[in-house]
Amino acid sequence: MNILFVADPLESFKISKDTTYAMMREAQRRGHQIAACEPRHLSWERGGLVRAQVRSIALQSAASGQWFHVTQEALLPLQDFDVVLMRKDPPFDSEYFYATHLLEQAEREGATVFNKPRALRDHPEKLAILEFPDHIGPTLVTRDPDEIVRFHGEHQDIILKPLDGMGGMGIFRVGPDGLNLGSITETLNRHGSQTVMVQRFLPEIADGDKRVLVIGGRPVPFCLARIPQGSEVRGNLAAGGRGVARPLSERDWEIARALGPKLWERGLLLAGIDVIGAYVTEINVTSPTCFQEITDQTGCDVAAIFVDALEAALVESKTV
């Protein structure tokens, strides 16, 4: 199998924890060929195919000073690869959006892409939860500051966050005293020009914001609970949270089994469902992480589960 990873610059990878690196390592272990490019390398011209300036790579010991070496560089059509994996990290900005359209054109030309470009566009990570109201806590999506004040009055302790944030960026908590609610609202909604999400604060965050991974519609049996440290309200690893791997709870299984098959039907081979207590707070589809942390702490080889699912998906696509 010849795999193209559309990702951030390889030189920026922190291989001790990077999930895309874990995927590459497992794919190479099985004898698959690996190549990489960045979204900025994608191009299309009338009369031709979607192409990218691609680096074919082989992984090597990081002790050599670099964890990969380039075996070949070439401008290649995406349809030349058995599968294209879109692993560019957020933010989901205009350039990410445009990249999904180029990847969808590549699909029309015969390429196989995961996660499917249309599904990436249809499942913004904050708003995707709106489809599953039975599994989420009290939530408001609005530009209207008066609605935010009303929601705060009803629930007293709330979380506000931008719809395009990542890694816990821009998340605020406002308690019963309402201190700075107006200022925070103005900051996030840009005086009514941008939509924000408001959710009731879930005190179960003290026990961790759990990342539940679903691969090929099936839950990985362990999650990573990201536990806030000190006075921090955010559990995100990027915000200093501590990651603790745990077996899925009964409620985690219930959520994953309810959402997983639906996400997979839409071409989301890999999704990361964020769960606090009994509630889903986000559904991550752009480049879900936590493979290495779960594997290192439990011995459950998440990358192997992923490549198994990828291989099975390719076999299925060839028989349809």
Side-chain angles (χ1 to χ4, degrees):
M1 186 163 61
N2 195 2
I3 306 172
L4 174 62
F5 289 83
V6 182
D8 289 292
L10 299 178
E11 292 79 5
S12 71
F13 282 28
K14 296 179 180 178
I15 63 169
S16 62
K17 62 180 183 178
D18 193 284
T19 288
T20 303
Y21 170 77
M23 294 174 176
M24 290 178 169
R25 183 176 59 192
E26 177 61 19
Q28 179 171 285
R29 188 189 69 78
R30 300 187 187 200
H32 301 312
Q33 296 176 296
I34 302 167
C37 72
E38 300 169 38
R40 66 187 178 93
H41 296 136
L42 299 172
S43 65
W44 179 86
E45 183 176 359
R46 191 182 72 170
L49 302 169
V50 176
R51 302 183 299 173
Q53 190 65 38
V54 168
R55 293 191 288 180
S56 298
I57 63 170
L59 277 57
Q60 62 188 15
S61 170
S64 64
Q66 185 163 287
W67 59 269
F68 68 94
H69 71 270
V70 178
T71 59
Q72 182 181 6
E73 291 192 55
L75 183 63
L76 298 174
L78 269 58
Q79 71 169 20
D80 283 5
F81 294 88
D82 295 300
V83 65
V84 178
L85 295 180
M86 179 52 159
R87 289 290 303 170
K88 173 70 178 68
D89 284 344
F92 193 109
D93 56 13
S94 295
E95 287 302 321
Y96 193 109
F97 179 78
Y98 303 147
T100 67
H101 280 286
L102 287 169
L103 290 171
E104 191 169 22
Q105 174 62 23
E107 284 185 316
R108 289 189 284 267
E109 296 166 359
T112 299
V113 183
F114 291 117
N115 283 330
K116 285 198 170 295
R118 180 176 293 274
L120 289 173
R121 293 197 302 274
D122 287 350
H123 294 81
E125 300 187 329
K126 301 289 192 300
L127 295 177
I129 66 171
L130 274 59
E131 183 182 351
F132 306 102
D134 293 344
H135 296 288
I136 68 175
T139 299
L140 169 70
V141 180
T142 186
R143 293 188 191 185
D144 187 343
D146 293 335
E147 279 294 290
I148 295 174
V149 170
R150 178 197 58 77
F151 188 87
H152 175 262
E154 180 179 351
H155 298 286
Q156 295 294 300
D157 201 351
I158 64 172
I159 294 289
L160 301 94
K161 52 189 174 183
L163 295 181
D164 60 353
M166 56 176 285
M169 180 183 66
I171 291 179
F172 293 89
R173 177 184 178 184
V174 176
D177 60 8
L179 188 63
N180 287 329
L181 178 59
S183 177
I184 290 168
T185 299
E186 290 170 4
T187 298
L188 292 180
N189 82 345
R190 307 287 177 88
H191 298 278
S193 67
Q194 291 192 4
T195 304
V196 299
M197 176 171 280
V198 193
Q199 295 173 306
R200 187 183 71 191
F201 174 73
L202 300 173
E204 295 89 344
I205 183 64
D207 195 41
D209 179 356
K210 294 176 286 187
R211 168 61 55 83
V212 177
L213 294 170
V214 179
I215 299 175
R218 297 174 180 169
V220 172
F222 295 90
C223 65
L224 191 75
R226 296 157 299 171
I227 302 171
Q229 299 298 291
S231 61
E232 182 59 70
V233 72
R234 300 169 298 173
N236 309 74
L237 300 183
R242 179 170 62 93
V244 178
R246 296 174 181 161
L248 298 190
S249 70
E250 184 176 339
R251 176 58 174 161
D252 297 335
W253 280 107
E254 180 185 352
I255 290 170
R257 286 171 173 154
L259 275 60
K262 294 181 181 179
L263 298 174
W264 174 221
E265 285 172 7
R266 299 165 189 175
L268 294 167
L269 178 65
L270 171 62
I273 304 172
D274 289 350
V275 179
I276 299 176
Y279 299 110
V280 176
T281 60
E282 293 185 17
I283 301 174
N284 293 266
V285 300
T286 50
S287 60
T289 60
C290 300
F291 278 29
Q292 293 204 59
E293 293 88 346
I294 292 173
T295 298
D296 291 345
Q297 294 183 40
T298 69
C300 176
D301 194 336
V302 185
I305 295 172
F306 176 80
V307 178
D308 283 344
L310 179 62
E311 292 172 341
L314 288 179
V315 170
E316 182 179 346
S317 70
K318 288 180 170 59
T319 59
V320 172

